[in-house]
Amino acid sequence: VARPARRRLSVDRRREELMAAALELFSERDTGNVSIDDVASAAGASRALVYHYFGGKQELYVAALRSAAAQLEERLRPQGGGRPLEELAGGLRRYFDFVEEHAAGFAALLRGGPANRSGEIGEIVESVRRRMMRLIMKQMRVEEPGPALRVALRSWIASVETAGLDWLEHRDIERPVLERMLVDHMVALFGVAADHDPQVGELLEALTGDGAA
Amino acid sequence: VARPARRRLSVDRRREELMAAALELFSERDTGNVSIDDVASAAGASRALVYHYFGGKQELYVAALRSAAAQLEERLRPQGGGRPLEELAGGLRRYFDFVEEHAAGFAALLRGGPANRSGEIGEIVESVRRRMMRLIMKQMRVEEPGPALRVALRSWIASVETAGLDWLEHRDIERPVLERMLVDHMVALFGVAADHDPQVGELLEALTGDGAA
């Protein structure tokens, strides 16, 4: 039984190495300028192996982005125990850990899928967003957001993504400062939504008010 | 001289009709599922004509998105005369006029370029964002934003795009209410940035304070 298990592991690792090499290249250059040969040589593998595992460049690209998204979602899993804004701050810290450690994957994911011919990349990005939305709502004990809260949450998620890309480009704000700004963004956006929806007002009070219990 | 001019006009119009038909189809379906034949038949043209004008599907797609972006930028041109937040509100109204009238183009532009093999779509979207950024900064008499203001502005632009897509999906907020929320978003985001950068504090005071002059 040991053999197949070991072999399995190394197949998985080989696949991951290829995907990592692909992400790196795809986030540096346009997909049109990345060949299967480039990926193979960056990963120290043969062209045939890349085709064997992925079938083609588009499939490799989608698989690589899917794996980046899965790693990001894994990070977002709440740790539990803290007050909602603390949990949010913790989630943001892990989000930016991912941004920092997987700069290539993050940028490739969000700069949109150049080779996406079938809407798969858009679907991957949307699925991360939906996951973030669900996690935040669960944390805040909101079942179904009204329009004002929904817009505030979606705007905030877009603002986090944008801040992540901006940070990779400029790195002229300390990460902890940026993360704190983003927590403040959410509170500020909820403040705007609260003017339009009393449900958000209550939520905001619960988030910021019922303090050091 | 009349002949070529007239002919020119009708060539331009034909091209525009083809691009409009393409935008409509590309924003309803994945590019992979839209053929040149589909575009031709939607525009009442021949397949050969589409190839003649655009060369191929990718070129047609890029040309169509470029035209959508140019129309949007045209709308954003400031009208002048108002206080900055009024100008902003006016710009947002015209932005949402575009969203409403060119739903297909807007969604296709922002949902990312499925067939973008050369980074051109990303470049088109980024150029609209840069244009918005420049307009807002000019309006606010800011030469070079510091990091906190830059993040606030980019976040806000992302939040406007997201709100546009959300509105097309749900239409459960009145446009004027949503537009007002977005102006409030900017003030709120500037409020957060002001905690990190005194320059933004002054700006915010100028924006909201020196009132009914």
Side-chain angles (χ1 to χ4, degrees):
Chain A
V1 200
R3 265 278 177 70
R6 209 184 311 138
R7 193 166 161 255
R8 187 58 206 270
L9 201 85
S10 96
V11 163
D12 282 354
R13 188 167 312 148
R14 209 77 191 101
R15 252 189 124 247
E16 273 163 30
E17 283 170 4
L18 289 169
M19 290 194 291
L23 272 184
E24 197 74 39
L25 290 170
F26 285 134
S27 65
E28 283 165 5
R29 313 209 289 258
D30 290 325
T31 5
N33 298 321
V34 177
S35 69
I36 289 279
D37 281 328
D38 295 333
V39 175
S41 94
S46 70
R47 179 190 168 79
L49 195 75
V50 182
Y51 278 108
H52 172 71
Y53 283 151
F54 298 99
K57 194 164 83 170
Q58 170 65 6
E59 290 82 354
L60 169 60
Y61 186 69
V62 170
L65 288 191
R66 211 182 289 284
S67 125
Q71 288 173 50
L72 176 54
E73 290 196 0
E74 181 59 37
R75 300 281 179 115
L76 295 179
R77 211 181 276 236
Q79 310 292 295
R83 292 164 56 205
L85 285 185
E86 287 163 10
E87 286 289 325
L88 187 76
L92 269 177
R93 195 175 53 245
R94 298 191 303 280
Y95 187 96
F96 274 86
D97 284 344
F98 177 87
V99 172
E100 185 160 11
E101 290 164 31
H102 301 274
F106 181 77
L109 193 60
L110 282 185
R111 294 229 167 87
N116 172 27
R117 317 198 118 258
S118 52
E120 285 166 301
I121 309 300
E123 196 29 65
I124 294 172
V125 173
E126 275 306 318
S127 127
V128 175
R129 288 175 184 154
R130 277 196 303 269
R131 163 60 81 95
M132 287 176 77
M133 188 95 161
R134 275 200 309 274
L135 282 174
I136 296 168
M137 291 198 314
K138 196 174 164 199
Q139 200 69 51
M140 298 181 173
R141 295 184 173 67
V142 173
E143 291 278 327
E144 187 64 35
L149 180 56
R150 186 191 65 232
V151 171
L153 280 172
R154 292 183 73 175
S155 290
W156 183 76
I157 290 169
S159 137
V160 170
E161 292 173 354
T162 304
L165 289 172
D166 184 89
W167 186 78
L168 287 179
E169 263 172 59
H170 298 281
R171 299 196 190 228
D172 55 2
I173 305 187
E174 299 287 322
R175 257 191 57 192
V177 174
L178 185 57
E179 290 165 23
R180 221 164 27 240
M181 276 180 67
L182 288 167
V183 173
D184 293 346
H185 276 187
M186 180 180 278
V187 173
L189 294 179
F190 276 24
V192 173
D195 292 339
H196 299 270
D197 178 352
Q199 181 204 13
V200 185
E202 286 165 32
L203 192 62
L204 190 59
E205 219 163 277
L207 279 184
T208 57
D210 72 348
Chain B
V1 198
R3 262 281 176 71
R6 208 185 310 136
R7 194 168 161 251
R8 188 60 207 268
L9 201 86
S10 97
V11 164
D12 282 352
R13 188 168 311 149
R14 209 77 192 102
R15 252 189 124 247
E16 273 162 30
E17 283 169 5
L18 289 169
M19 290 194 292
L23 273 183
E24 196 73 40
L25 290 169
F26 285 134
S27 66
E28 282 165 4
R29 314 211 288 259
D30 289 324
T31 4
N33 298 321
V34 178
S35 68
I36 289 279
D37 281 329
D38 294 334
V39 175
S41 94
S46 71
R47 178 190 169 80
L49 195 75
V50 181
Y51 278 108
H52 173 69
Y53 283 151
F54 298 98
K57 193 164 83 172
Q58 171 65 8
E59 290 82 354
L60 169 60
Y61 185 69
V62 170
L65 288 192
R66 212 182 289 284
S67 125
Q71 289 173 50
L72 177 54
E73 291 195 359
E74 182 58 36
R75 301 282 179 114
L76 295 179
R77 212 182 275 234
Q79 308 295 294
R83 293 165 55 207
L85 285 185
E86 288 162 9
E87 286 289 325
L88 188 75
L92 270 177
R93 195 176 53 245
R94 298 191 304 278
Y95 187 96
F96 275 86
D97 283 343
F98 177 88
V99 171
E100 185 161 10
E101 289 164 32
H102 301 275
F106 181 78
L109 193 61
L110 282 184
R111 293 232 167 86
N116 171 27
R117 319 197 117 258
S118 52
E120 285 166 300
I121 309 299
E123 198 28 65
I124 294 171
V125 173
E126 275 307 318
S127 126
V128 175
R129 287 176 185 153
R130 277 196 303 269
R131 162 60 80 96
M132 288 176 76
M133 189 95 161
R134 275 200 310 273
L135 282 174
I136 297 168
M137 292 197 313
K138 196 174 165 201
Q139 200 68 52
M140 297 181 175
R141 296 182 173 66
V142 173
E143 292 278 326
E144 187 62 37
L149 180 56
R150 187 191 65 233
V151 171
L153 280 172
R154 291 184 72 174
S155 290
W156 184 75
I157 290 168
S159 137
V160 170
E161 292 173 355
T162 304
L165 289 172
D166 184 89
W167 187 76
L168 286 179
E169 263 173 60
H170 297 282
R171 299 198 188 225
D172 54 2
I173 305 186
E174 299 287 323
R175 257 190 58 191
V177 173
L178 186 57
E179 290 165 24
R180 222 164 26 240
M181 276 180 66
L182 288 168
V183 173
D184 293 346
H185 276 186
M186 180 181 278
V187 173
L189 294 179
F190 276 25
V192 172
D195 292 339
H196 300 270
D197 179 352
Q199 180 204 14
V200 185
E202 287 165 32
L203 192 62
L204 190 58
E205 221 162 277
L207 279 184
T208 57
D210 72 348

